[in-house]
Amino acid sequence: EPEVTQTPSHQVTQMGQEVILRCVPISNHLYFYWYRQILGQKVEFLVSFYNNEISEKSEIFDDQFSVERPDGSNFTLKIRSTKLEDSAMYFCASSEDKSTEAFFGQGTRLTVV
Amino acid sequence: AQKITQTQPGMFVQEKEAVTLDCTYDTSDQSYGLFWYKQPSSGEMIFLIYQGSYDEQNATEGRYSLNFQKARKSANLVISASQLGDSAMYFCAMRGNFGAGTTVTVRA
């Protein structure tokens, strides 16, 4: 069964460093998403991506964040100059269409120290 | 903008019984979809069931069913014949907006 894969599963980084979280969406999906879930809290939408550009983003997704689809398979989230409060689980998801269900990857747990 | 409300932070249910998780939403869109996801303690997000706003029938998927009341803007999830493995956090979502979640604990 096709699935969304995320790497790494856990990343520890120093405050102020840049991190890149990687995702491989399901191959025939056209919409890609990043979400964040701070431990014990709700799932927060960050950004959606379609046709090689951002289609929607939340207030959380400020200049510190960027997304890219560098090739035909990968979808990355870059966080510049990480802060302690960026520590969270980051989920990538993909869907065939914006109104169909999104399938989630297993998440990357980011710890900023 | 869409808003999802889940008012039950936690629910306890006896094994083999049914449980209903509430979800109300607010949207000005005419066409939309509602999703439910399960997040076990291991952290992954598992898609459970989808309801389209123009679907004539309530969605069902195995032991999961949706009680969709469009006029009331509610899409409650019903889990029938609860199992111990159903203990998890459950999220209602629409177009990327997630509710706060409901923790379900199934008791033996």
Side-chain angles (χ1 to χ4, degrees), chain A residues 35 37 42 45 91 99 101-102, chain B residues 35 37 39 43 47 50 96 98:
Chain A
Y35 294 86
Q37 186 181 31
K42 67 181 289 186
F45 169 74
F91 289 103
S99 62
E101 66 270 26
Chain B
F35 308 89
Y37 290 89
Q39 187 177 39
F47 166 73
Y50 166 80
F98 277 65

Side-chain angles (χ1 to χ4, degrees), chain B residues 71-102:
Chain B
R72 297 181 59 189
K73 293 190 173 179
S74 75
N76 300 338
L77 176 71
V78 180
I79 307 173
S80 59
S82 298
Q83 302 171 354
L84 295 177
D86 294 334
S87 294
M89 179 82 97
Y90 290 82
F91 291 98
C92 180
M94 177 167 64
R95 289 226 180 133
N97 291 300
F98 277 65
T102 297

Side-chain angles (χ1 to χ4, degrees), chain A residues 43-112:
Chain A
V43 179
E44 299 173 297
F45 169 74
L46 293 177
V47 65
S48 61
F49 193 85
Y50 170 72
N51 201 25
N52 286 320
E53 59 183 30
I54 291 173
S55 55
E56 205 172 337
K57 61 181 181 179
S58 70
E59 292 176 354
I60 303 168
F61 194 87
D62 59 21
D63 292 343
Q64 182 195 11
F65 295 92
S66 63
V67 289
E68 196 176 38
R69 190 157 162 81
D71 53 45
S73 58
N74 289 285
F75 178 52
T76 62
L77 174 70
K78 182 189 290 186
I79 310 174
R80 300 181 195 87
S81 189
T82 48
K83 300 176 282 207
L84 294 176
E85 53 264 39
D86 293 328
S87 295
M89 181 76 95
Y90 288 81
F91 289 103
C92 172
S94 69
S95 64
E96 285 184 21
D97 185 90
K98 64 178 178 179
S99 62
T100 56
E101 66 270 26
F103 291 90
F104 282 70
Q106 78 278 22
T108 293
R109 182 169 298 285
L110 176 66
T111 304
V112 182

Side-chain angles (χ1 to χ4, degrees), chain B residues 7-40:
Chain B
T7 57
Q8 305 153 309
M11 300 274 289
F12 289 94
V13 59
Q14 206 63 33
E15 197 177 10
K16 298 180 186 175
E17 292 186 351
V19 62
T20 299
L21 309 183
D22 295 341
C23 172
T24 58
Y25 59 91
D26 189 18
T27 182
S28 55
D29 292 345
Q30 295 301 310
S31 176
Y32 52 88
L34 288 143
F35 308 89
W36 277 91
Y37 290 89
K38 172 184 178 182
Q39 187 177 39

